Amino acid sequence: MANSKVLSGLGIGLAATLALSGCSGAADDGTVTLQMVESLTNPARTELLETLIDEFEQENAGIEVELISPPTDQADQKIQQMLQSGTGVDVLEVRDLTVGPFSTNGWLADMGPEFEGWKGWDALTDNAKNVATAGGKTYFIPYGFYGISLFYRTDLVEEAGFDGAPASWEDLLEQASAIQDPEANTYGYAFRGGTNGYSNAALVIEAYVADDLDLENAYRLKNGDSMFSAPEALDAMDLYLDLFEQASPPSSVAWGYPEMVEGFSNGSTAFLLQDPEVIAAVEQSTAITGEQWTTAPILVGPSGTAIQPLATAGWGVAEASEHQAESAKLIQFLSEGDASIRFTEGNSLVPILNGGDEAEFYKTGAWESYLTMNENPETYITAVQPRGVAWWTEWADKADSELQQVLIGQLTTKELLASWDAYWTEKWAAE
Amino acid sequence: MLPAAIFVGVFIYYPMLAGSQMAFRHWNLSNLTDTSWIGLQNFATIFADPSFGVILGNSVLWVVASIVPQLVIGFALALWLRRRFRFRGLYQALIFFPWAISGFLIGILFRWMFNGEFGVVNDLLMKTGLIDQGIPWLAQPDTAMFAVIIANIWYGVTFFAIMILAALQSVPDELFEAAALDGAGKVRTLFQITIPYISTTLALTVLLRVIWIFNFPDIIWAMTGGGPANQTHIITTWMITFTQKGDYGVASALGLIVVGLLLVFSAFYLMALRGKKEASS
Amino acid sequence: MIDTETTPARITRIGFLGLWLVITIFPLYWIIVTSFKAPGDIFSYPLQYWPTEFSFENYVQLFEKADFGTYVVNSLVVSTAAATTATLISLLSAYVLARFEFRTKTAILMAFLVTQMIPAFIALGPLYLLMVDLGLVDDRFGLILVYVAVCIPFCTIMLRGFFANVPDALEEAAMIDGCSRLGALFRVIVPVMKPGIVAAFIFNFVNCWNELFLSVTLMNKDENKTIPTALNGFITSFNIDWGSMSAAAVLTILPTMILFAFASRYIVQGLTAGAVKG
């Protein structure tokens, strides 16, 4: 009978499956296996990381590392679940966004003791050391920094009759407006209205209030008020709204990272503010050639200065890990010498090692603007963004949504700034 | 029966009940050292949010505007697919394919097709001369809602088509023949014989789809993330934003609200169905 | 079948079916074309409706850089096992729920219906802890168990609906002929319900095949990942790898399409009138 055949087939299939999916046992020869989880996963980076891990394993017999690479969209949630359960993770990627909550919850080990006497420490840049010792504890060692620069189309700028890249936000508005030509599917600025759009809004405001800014907390003025309360902030947002209305693609209200990069590398927009990671993506473009674009330093405000918002991430150890010493060893390996240099170059990151940016790699082509910014710290001021606060993700969500309200005309720039000012003032007061 | 109950009990009800207590606690990932019971405060937060009304309205619109075309097109496909024609197998395999893709992937795919500047939808509309300038679909609340619903209709028709087609197979041909002998028209046959005969399947399919679509954030999340300015959020996408903020208390409370609303709806729906059945018999 | 068809009705039918085919197929076409474009051509403007040159680069990359073959095997194993088990268990439960009267019946049905209303993520955290305790994290068997549980409620409800369409008289006749109840179920009812069962199996299979969140949560090692996890891996924080993703999507859709093509024969097979009349 046909059905009994089907049934027995199913039975065999089931049995085979159960047999196939048996557990893998743990080795019992004293080998320590570290579970390492990454968060900002991308295939090329994972490959590089695996190479580095192989080298580490060769140098350290008796330690094996198992790299877990969840899709980046789901990674932080998975890491949280692992940390909460106290199993399955020894080394993890900690971001400036997650270090606050993770350490508050007691999920991260203070590596201070393990790192005492580590010879690699002195080689770290001041920025890296600051991050690694924030709050007196060492919850993670940064592997690099994400800085911002202005990607621009040299040919379009020239055709529109300008000598070179815009230096200030006002220049940008002028040039982008001149280039904007919707009929030809050419637009000025790759505006970020979608996810994390608030970060670029903060960038323009910071440039306008740079001189009064508290460098330890870039959202605060020296007088203790939030930067959104400054009168210059309104000028900044008005200009930013003009930039959207006069010089950006209309659909950029909804543009996030992929659309922005895409809009620039397919040749339809002339300006893009982005991380150096994007250099590699744009280099692959066939729509624009290497002669048609380069990068420039970020844009300054009326007083001629700008704030470089360095974002960072690095490696930390789980408090629940039973192999903290071995974990620290792995992190040290990744944070010094050749391994660190290869990781920062391979991922287009601003290096964590002193003199790292003197390598040939950072002096060529699109990287030049980073050098310029590094050499002029008075103009391009590095300030700490308050990304570690517990309410940062809540803020990001609120700010994105309200920025979009401004873009679609439901809110004025003035109302927006009042709301943002009230939000931060209240949060700081409750702290 | 027992194995089914055990599976569902252990792997669904236990985690769900364990999870839903978060709704009555302060449960924020930013600080899990304090997870005290706070009663209904999370629910109060939700009801006090100015967006809640819009989001509730969107959820209803999302379900109704998706399900009606899905049902109508799916039904039509099923009826017409009963008739044999050449390449019917191939045709079916092809039109069933949307169901084979995950909602998330569909979301990303449609997000690019509806892109205002280099999306293929605008390109085609301009080539055919229907519009002469690209529409920034996902940048305006109305068009964005329209776009996500289109994507959802495209995706969900298959389910109705398959379910109805499967149900139609159990309708004996004699019934149609008898109807034809009585001189009943096509439309009358449809409403007086076909639909009543498969009504159980039909009613259940509709109920399940209402529940699923209400609970289906994938497409919206991938296409608009609820934007612009929260205007395309439904309850479940809004819930995702709370999990991203680490506020699992409020997110769980929203989850319970979803379950509550759907329970009430199902109760009314099933009662209405029963009432109708009794009236007709 | 109704054999008389007027010309306008025929035109409407063919027009409608044709139009829907175009609408359905276009995104599929777009994915396939994209998957064969050379990496640089994907973003060229004006849009290319046909690749200037066919490139298999994206497919080669899938197997060279990512271990795509392993993911396919995992997905096949997990989805087949889970869908099969769930369909079998549900078939028996649905039968019990459709044919017997007992006190907890309504309660069970409602309990099953409620599972469909729960946003999955509420249960995600506790489920992870449960699986850690059971030692089933990063284990295909564990994922199969969870998928079976996820599939059962819907599948049972659906099959019960199909049972309701089958007259009692059918199995009563079989039992009079000397079949046991179980025998009657499998020899008489199952063949009649084949379209419904096949449809149920397909839905289970596709649900498991596309499931992302449980898989990401419960699986760690690369060798245990399923296809949706891998697909999502092409979305990185700074870009979407459209070439690889389209190629992967095509390969993902293929097995389901084959399954649909194969199964749709059963779904539309049609029953001989006699079987239903009993």
Side-chain angles (χ1 to χ4, degrees), chain B residues 7-43:
Chain B
F7 264 106
V8 175
V10 173
F11 293 108
I12 298 185
Y13 270 94
Y14 163 73
M16 181 223 164
L17 293 176
S20 43
Q21 52 153 340
M22 292 188 291
F24 306 99
R25 291 181 131 177
H26 178 268
W27 198 286
N28 198 314
L29 278 185
S30 64
N31 187 355
L32 284 179
T33 51
D34 168 29
T35 53
S36 46
W37 296 88
I38 52 168
L40 298 177
Q41 208 174 302
N42 286 329
F43 292 88

Side-chain angles (χ1 to χ4, degrees), chain A residues 110-118 324-326 328 332:
Chain A
D110 176 10
M111 296 187 290
E114 301 280 357
F115 273 61
E116 220 146 292
W118 171 46
Q324 294 193 355
E326 291 85 353
Q332 289 174 355

Side-chain angles (χ1 to χ4, degrees), chain B residues 137-152:
Chain B
W137 292 99
L138 302 178
Q140 312 166 138
D142 296 345
T143 49
M145 202 66 208
F146 178 77
V148 294
I149 288 173
I150 290 290
N152 195 26

Side-chain angles (χ1 to χ4, degrees), chain C residues 5-6 9 48 72 129 139 201-202 204 211 241:
Chain C
E5 189 180 42
T6 54
Q48 289 181 0
V72 174
L129 295 180
D139 186 338
F201 175 82
I202 289 183
N204 286 340
E211 202 290 324
D241 185 350

Side-chain angles (χ1 to χ4, degrees), chain B residues 13 91 112 123 169 212 215, chain C residues 17 49 111 116-117 242 267:
Chain B
Y13 270 94
Y91 182 87
W112 282 93
D123 198 61
Q169 300 309 314
W212 284 357
N215 229 329
Chain C
L17 290 178
Y49 287 86
Q116 303 300 300
M117 307 175 186
W242 280 102
I267 296 182

